[in-house]
């Protein structure tokens, strides 16, 4: 491999229709209050992982939960997985806090997320 390996899956985003109800369910499941609690996003940090709830994600093309592989160089990793046969769904874009995210689909249509912390 010519580019650095991933740092593992550290972020999983879940599309939700009812953010308030989802927040209650995930608070009960995880046993902690969210660290980020906004109308557009609720995020929990637990055991080294970030679990996010995204309302209206269906309108953004997110129909199922997406696991985000943390990578040191998102553009290099995008090029590598595209060369291997993946198709870019959403190119790398900043989402705040210095985070870059992108999604690709594998040959079976599974959505794979990539995330780079700056």
């Amino acid at each position: 491999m010519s580019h650095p390996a991933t740092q593992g899956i550290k972020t999983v985003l879940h599309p939700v229709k009812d953010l308030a109800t989802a927040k209650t369910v995930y608070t009960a499941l995880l046993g902690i209050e969210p660290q980020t609690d906004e109308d557009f996003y609720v995020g929990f940090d637990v055991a080294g992982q970030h679990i996010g709830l995204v309302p209206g994600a269906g309108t953004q093309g997110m129909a199922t939960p997406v696991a985000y592989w943390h990578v040191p160089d998102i553009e290099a990793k995008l090029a590598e997985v595209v060369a291997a046969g993946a198709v870019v769904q959403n190119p790398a874009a900043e989402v705040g806090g210095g985070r870059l995210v992108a999604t690709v689909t594998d040959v079976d249509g599974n959505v794979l997320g990539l995330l780079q912390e700056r």
Side-chain angles (χ1 to χ4, degrees):
M1 298 263 155
S2 60
H3 301 289
T6 70
Q7 299 162 351
I9 295 172
K10 296 181 181 181
T11 302
V12 179
L13 300 183
H14 298 267
V16 299
K17 293 179 182 168
D18 180 340
L19 185 59
T21 300
K23 180 172 74 170
T24 300
V25 169
Y26 281 82
T27 298
L29 172 68
L30 301 171
I32 60 170
E33 293 294 321
Q35 283 71 36
T36 303
D37 191 353
E38 303 291 340
D39 292 340
F40 57 90
Y41 184 82
V42 171
F44 299 85
D45 289 312
V46 61
Q49 290 205 317
H50 183 78
I51 307 301
L53 308 177
V54 184
T59 61
Q60 302 168 26
M62 182 186 208
T64 62
V66 176
Y68 282 81
W69 295 83
H70 287 227
V71 297
D73 183 338
I74 198 166
E75 293 297 343
K77 188 54 72 177
L78 272 172
E80 187 175 356
V81 297
V82 167
V87 175
V88 174
Q89 183 180 35
N90 294 299
E94 179 146 353
V95 294
R99 287 188 181 102
L100 294 173
V101 299
T103 54
V104 299
T105 53
D106 68 13
V107 295
D108 294 304
N110 298 303
V111 178
L112 307 172
L114 301 175
L115 188 152
Q116 176 186 338
E117 300 276 358
R118 286 191 184 175

